[in-house]
Amino acid sequence: MLQKLNTMATYAVISMRCKVREFMKKENGDVNIVSIVVLIGIAVLLAILFRKQVGNLINNLFNTIGNNANSAVK
């Protein structure tokens, strides 16, 4: 009986070690999440730095679209 329990405990330890190793191998999502957060931070920083230029560009684009739409309707 004691030998059977010892064998079961050994299998449990080996199984847990294998599962921990698999988990560590599959744990590559952290790097992707960190890189995405860094890229989003850079995009926000650039948007803040070039806020006026981006605003002017968007206004010019909408004005051009509006003028072309008015020309197409006439």
Side-chain angles (χ1 to χ4, degrees), residues 17-44:
R17 283 184 183 174
C18 290
K19 289 183 182 188
V20 168
R21 284 183 187 151
E22 286 178 26
F23 178 76
M24 290 299 186
K25 285 181 183 179
K26 292 181 183 178
E27 194 62 30
N28 59 359
D30 288 339
V31 175
N32 294 332
I33 292 172
V34 170
S35 63
I36 290 171
V37 169
V38 168
L39 289 175
I40 290 172
I42 291 170
V44 168

Side-chain angles (χ1 to χ4, degrees), residues 54-70:
V54 171
N56 290 335
L57 175 67
I58 291 173
N59 286 333
N60 288 336
L61 287 173
F62 280 124
N63 288 335
T64 304
I65 291 170
N67 291 337
N68 288 341
N70 288 336

